[in-house]
Amino acid sequence: MSSFIEQELKARGVSQVIVLVRDVPDSPAVRRSREVPVGLADAARLRGGMADVAGYFIRSELSLTGQLLSGCALPVGTRRPAAVPTARFYPHLGVMLGTVDREGLAALRHDRRVEDVVGAPPLRLIRPRRIAAARRPKGYEWGLRALGVPALHREGLTGKGVLVGHLDTGADGRHPALRGAIRHFAEFDDLGRERRPAPRPYDTDTHGTHTAATIAGRKVRGTLVGAAPGARLASAIVIEGGDVVARVLGGMDWAVGLGVRVVSMSLGFPGYWPDFLALTRLLRRRGVLPVFAVGNEGPGTSRSPGNYVEALSVGACGRDRTVPRFSSSQRFRRAKDAIVPDLVAPGVGVVSARPGGGWQAMDGTSMATPHVAGLAALLMEAAPKKTADEIEQALFDSCRLGPHMTEDRAHRGLPSGPRALRLLR
């Protein structure tokens, strides 16, 4: 059993769990839905007895949903929902999320339609270690030059035709660097429900605008901060606060349903918790490259899912090609990818867009992660028939350790866009 589930059951008598189902319903109603609320009224929408599986979940005042409904004041003008589904089904991922007691958990584990049951540790945003005002860079931002992005742009590559998932605090679509960059936008509220109709792209913080522009920021008066200025973003507000797991699952399911090729996530749970391993494997099986920040807690630490073999985990480096103290790194007892992060990318003094206009400099592995997602988009445009695994391997093989980098801190080192392109060709 997941140690997180056991811990929750001992402490509160109930636990939120993620259920991987073996046979995903394929009715037209389910295919059209991004998140199907499961309950008696919705049972007819599920096939193969999945409504029976939903019956293992319970409503509880001790659950996270129950606590959110009873203990949180709603924004002015917002009505309290009359009913919240006992469980949610995410059709593009093939998973369910809900609350169980020990009896329900045992029933799930013995049901042949259930592949696995894992815990739902609360994910957290990997916040920058430093935020400072900055002037608009002249020409290419330094991180793009460090990765060799200008050379790929000279080849005519901009990420055109590639949809990149961006799950963060949102993004300010009115910023000059992001005008035309956001193809799809969604907001998932504290209970994990998608707000409809979708709002105009905005940022609940400053983090998401910064990371979004690093991926796909357009040129502004000669300044370029985006690695893939021709790519389009599927950007969603999934963090912070509320039922973060429901929000992130909603965002992942939404992005996969839209056909993203790569997804950038600067979030995670401190330490190694295998509960989200199945989700990263699901993304891989659906042809999506999952790019995660490894964390900002320094040597000997990492975050899940950024420390999984199945994730492309990213640490930070500075202009001098050294790994800053804050960048997480850790060695594991496993045969494959025993060291995380997989590689490092520019994450110190990175200048990108600020909500409301203007520019900000930030430090963190959250800043390094969108650099790699944007670079992957360029390679996907260049080699559209290559799989996510092949794109990742080209990035890995292009890496070099700097003179002041060690394997324990940087693993493979800093990737090179031009080298990766040659390897793919």
Side-chain angles (χ1 to χ4, degrees):
M1 180 191 298
S2 161
S3 58
F4 183 83
I5 296 176
E6 182 60 28
Q7 175 182 307
E8 288 286 281
L9 289 173
K10 283 183 178 180
R12 300 189 296 117
V14 297
S15 177
Q16 190 175 47
V17 298
I18 300 170
V19 176
L20 282 73
V21 296
R22 293 187 187 280
D23 298 310
V24 179
D26 60 355
S27 69
V30 169
R31 282 201 301 270
R32 287 195 301 268
S33 177
R34 296 194 183 107
E35 180 188 318
V36 180
V38 177
L40 292 178
D42 304 294
R45 301 177 71 181
L46 300 177
R47 297 177 62 185
M50 289 306 298
D52 295 335
V53 175
Y56 300 138
F57 296 97
I58 64 169
R59 298 184 190 277
S60 171
E61 293 181 356
L62 298 174
S63 70
L64 178 54
T65 298
Q67 296 285 304
L68 286 169
L69 287 173
S70 64
C72 295
L74 295 175
V76 175
T78 303
R79 291 188 298 176
R80 189 173 298 278
V84 177
T86 307
R88 295 179 178 88
F89 177 65
Y90 301 92
H92 301 296
L93 295 174
V95 302
M96 300 176 79
L97 176 72
T99 299
V100 295
D101 54 17
R102 286 194 182 275
E103 182 180 357
L105 177 64
L108 283 170
R109 291 194 177 280
H110 286 91
D111 195 302
R112 293 181 179 179
R113 293 161 296 190
V114 173
E115 182 178 332
D116 200 3
V117 183
V118 298
L123 295 159
R124 304 174 192 170
L125 185 69
I126 300 178
R127 291 206 166 270
R129 292 302 296 265
R130 185 184 70 96
I131 302 176
R135 295 180 179 178
R136 181 171 58 88
K138 294 181 179 179
Y140 282 92
E141 206 278 336
W142 80 265
L144 305 184
R145 295 196 302 271
L147 296 173
V149 167
L152 298 189
H153 289 180
R154 287 193 293 272
E155 293 251 1
L157 299 174
T158 64
K160 184 178 180 180
V162 179
L163 185 63
V164 179
H166 171 254
L167 305 184
D168 211 298
T169 65
D172 180 6
R174 297 184 179 184
H175 193 287
L178 289 173
R179 286 176 187 159
I182 302 173
R183 177 67 180 85
H184 306 279
F185 189 78
E187 178 180 2
F188 293 86
D189 69 11
D190 279 1
L191 293 172
R193 301 166 302 177
E194 184 179 354
R195 179 180 167 188
R196 295 180 180 174
R200 294 185 64 175
Y202 79 103
D203 198 344
T204 59
D205 195 86
T206 61
H207 191 277
T209 299
H210 196 282
T211 55
T214 298
I215 297 170
R218 275 48 177 159
K219 185 176 286 188
V220 180
R221 291 185 292 163
T223 291
L224 192 63
V225 299
R232 304 294 293 276
L233 294 173
S235 179
I237 300 172
V238 299
I239 205 166
E240 295 242 86
D243 188 344
V244 179
V245 174
R247 298 178 76 187
V248 171
L249 283 176
M252 289 173 63
D253 189 74
W254 170 81
V256 170
L258 292 171
V260 300
R261 295 288 313 280
V262 56
V263 62
S264 177
M265 289 176 276
S266 297
L267 48 85
F269 189 80
Y272 184 87
W273 294 77
D275 299 87
F276 297 115
L277 187 58
L279 295 176
T280 55
R281 288 174 176 167
L282 283 170
L283 290 175
R284 290 276 184 174
R285 288 208 294 264
R286 283 148 179 76
V288 179
L289 179 63
V291 185
F292 282 93
V294 74
N296 291 341
E297 288 78 41
T301 69
S302 62
R303 292 213 187 191
S304 302
N307 49 23
Y308 298 162
V309 172
E310 287 77 3
L312 196 173
S313 66
V314 185
C317 72
R319 290 175 183 259
D320 58 0
R321 308 302 193 268
T322 62
V323 178
R325 177 73 181 178
F326 67 75
S327 185
S328 291
S329 61
Q330 200 162 20
R331 185 181 287 270
F332 292 93
R333 294 182 62 186
R334 60 193 187 201
K336 185 177 180 182
D337 276 345
I339 300 171
V340 294
D342 289 309
L343 47 75
V344 294
V348 179
V350 174
V351 178
S352 190
R354 183 188 67 197
W359 311 89
Q360 278 185 325
M362 294 188 183
D363 297 355
T365 57
S366 288
M367 287 60 256
T369 299
H371 276 97
V372 175
L375 181 57
L378 295 178
L379 299 176
M380 288 172 175
E381 180 195 3
K385 294 184 179 180
K386 297 294 185 181
T387 66
D389 290 349
E390 289 171 322
I391 296 294
E392 178 187 66
Q393 193 60 54
L395 286 168
F396 286 172
D397 291 344
S398 77
C399 289
R400 299 290 185 272
L401 284 168
H404 303 294
M405 292 180 184
T406 64
E407 185 181 19
D408 272 354
R409 296 288 283 132
H411 198 173
R412 296 173 177 86
L414 184 71
S416 162
R419 274 199 298 269
L421 181 61
R422 287 196 295 271
L423 289 165
L424 285 172
R425 288 176 170 172

